[in-house]
Amino acid sequence: MRISGLADTSGVSVATIKYYLREGLLHPGVATSATQATYDDSHVRRLRLIRALTGPVGLSVQQARAILTLVDDPGDDLYATLGRAVGALPPATSPTPAGDPDPYPRARAALEALGQVFDPRFPAVAQLETALAAAEDAGLPISPERLLAYGRSLRELAAYDLQRMPAEPRAAVEYTVLGTALYEPVILALRRLAHQDVAARLDLGG
Amino acid sequence: MRISGLADTSGVSVATIKYYLREGLLHPGVATSATQATYDDSHVRRLRLIRALTGPVGLSVQQARAILTLVDDPGDDLYATLGRAVGALPPATSPTPAGDPDPYPRARAALEALGQVFDPRFPAVAQLETALAAAEDAGLPISPERLLAYGRSLRELAAYDLQRMPAEPRAAVEYTVLGTALYEPVILALRRLAHQDVAARLDLGG
DNA sequence: TAATATTGGAGAGTCACACTATCCAAGCAT
DNA sequence: ATGCTTGGATAGTGTGACTCTCCAATATTA
């Protein structure tokens, strides 16, 4: 299949495919001459994944590349790979000023209350701190009680996810990294719908 | 307080404040002459809210304006206002082609399985459909069983949230609309941290 | 075989976005 | 009175994600 066939099959324009090739999101085809190369099913699948990440998931091309690189070349430490994947995903957080003895006070308190590991090197810690600070700044601080309630429910979900993690390492990385990126929008949508459903049953304002 | 004082207090530059005024995110100050106006605490608070929405929450200026408009001018129907807020938040979904008898098959099946209301006019339905389709396209479809598990946990969270909704309508709108925007990042960060914690206890790859 | 179309590759152009900078005449402060 | 600040408008900047245009080298088709 040549580039125009790939474009037809995938629904992505030739120009955009060239752009993804240039940006390193898509692996090159097999060159058959100076001005020809053939593409196969792996390119079609990869394009689908790229479009899923840059479209519905809302990643930038750079973020998508970071995620794809992790899936292609995971380290042998799944735990560390998950950390890197989380760091590559939005929301981006500003680097901590060095020398701050307690850069994430809100996140630390929350995790201690939940009895969870607090490791300041994990990117999600900074993300949690930023999110809690934003809620405070906006005048809707999150109470410790609410954090506990959220944390407990989400821990159930996490346990469910990890129980179903594939045993084979490569599949496990894909499951973990892509699952983080792809399942989060599902979770947000389900939460919004749960709000709607509960509100409807309470017969609010209707 | 004049505009430079507002800039100093809020940490937002004069040029950016002028930009927000032009874009209608920030209400004008009280003009005291042709070239002077005074700003007060309400402007400082509003700027904090704008920065929280456009920064950590990651909304565009247009999306932030849509949310702020809803908070300023909610309808008297809280349920409908929540719907509008969800529609103003990312992820954006493409409009449904008219005449499609079943535009959201995945979302409909999921909500039926959960025993929740299915109302195709609610924007989160389209968001759920898009997210489920993206996961499928990327090769990691979400099983019905997983959807049930997610949906049940998130319904607990939603019930918790609505139990704590303020009784006063104006406060309820603010709580609902801003809560959707501000608490979602917290939930995602907590989920990521829960994954990390569960993974650590399973002693994966470490 | 000749005419036409397509390809890979590279560079430039486009469009939207979120600011940021520059101007200006009209105050205000000293 | 004289230099600084203001509101308001217009223009400019930098980034990101494409999209367009070229080109010579093939492929395809008549």
Side-chain angles (χ1 to χ4, degrees), chain A residues 177-202:
Chain A
V177 174
L178 293 185
T180 301
L182 293 167
Y183 290 6
E184 284 180 358
V186 173
I187 285 170
L188 294 186
L190 280 174
R191 184 177 110 99
R192 293 171 181 185
L193 290 166
H195 273 125
Q196 182 205 25
D197 186 67
V198 174
R201 279 170 217 276
L202 294 176

Side-chain angles (χ1 to χ4, degrees), chain A residues 140 142 146 149-150 153-154 157 183-199, chain B residues 82 86 89 111 114 116 122 124-125 127-128 147 150-162 175-188 190:
Chain A
L140 276 183
I142 294 185
R146 184 183 297 266
Y150 283 7
S153 284
L154 293 167
L157 279 191
Y183 290 6
E184 284 180 358
V186 173
I187 285 170
L188 294 186
L190 280 174
R191 184 177 110 99
R192 293 171 181 185
L193 290 166
H195 273 125
Q196 182 205 25
D197 186 67
V198 174
Chain B
L82 172 58
V86 169
L89 250 27
L111 291 176
L114 281 165
Q116 287 184 202
F122 199 72
V125 169
Q127 290 163 1
L128 178 59
L147 266 173
Y150 283 7
R152 271 196 286 265
S153 284
L154 293 167
R155 214 155 179 293
E156 280 173 32
L157 279 192
Y160 180 97
D161 287 338
L162 289 190
Y175 174 83
T176 309
V177 173
L178 293 185
T180 301
L182 293 167
Y183 290 5
E184 283 180 357
V186 173
I187 286 170
L188 294 186
L190 281 174

Side-chain angles (χ1 to χ4, degrees), chain B residues 106-159:
Chain B
R106 298 173 187 82
R108 187 176 41 70
L111 291 176
E112 277 169 9
L114 281 165
Q116 287 184 202
V117 176
F118 171 76
D119 182 343
R121 292 165 307 177
F122 199 72
V125 169
Q127 290 163 1
L128 178 59
E129 181 72 22
T130 305
L132 292 174
E136 265 179 41
D137 286 348
L140 276 183
I142 295 184
S143 71
E145 184 209 354
R146 184 183 297 267
L147 266 173
L148 278 180
Y150 283 7
R152 271 196 286 265
S153 284
L154 293 167
R155 214 155 179 293
E156 280 173 32
L157 279 192

Side-chain angles (χ1 to χ4, degrees), chain A residues 102 104-120 125 128 132 144 147-148 152, chain B residues 190 193 197 201:
Chain A
D102 188 11
Y104 309 119
R106 298 173 186 81
R108 189 177 39 71
L111 291 177
E112 278 169 9
L114 281 165
Q116 286 185 203
V117 176
F118 171 75
D119 181 344
V125 170
L128 178 59
L132 292 174
L147 266 173
L148 278 180
R152 272 195 286 263
Chain B
L190 281 174
L193 289 166
D197 187 66
R201 277 169 218 276

Side-chain angles (χ1 to χ4, degrees), chain B residues 1 20 29 39 43 49 66-67 78 81 83 105 109 119 134 143 172 184 204:
Chain B
M1 182 193 293
Y20 289 155
Y39 303 86
H43 296 89
L49 178 53
I67 295 294
L78 179 58
T81 301
D119 182 343
S143 71
E184 283 180 357
L204 287 168

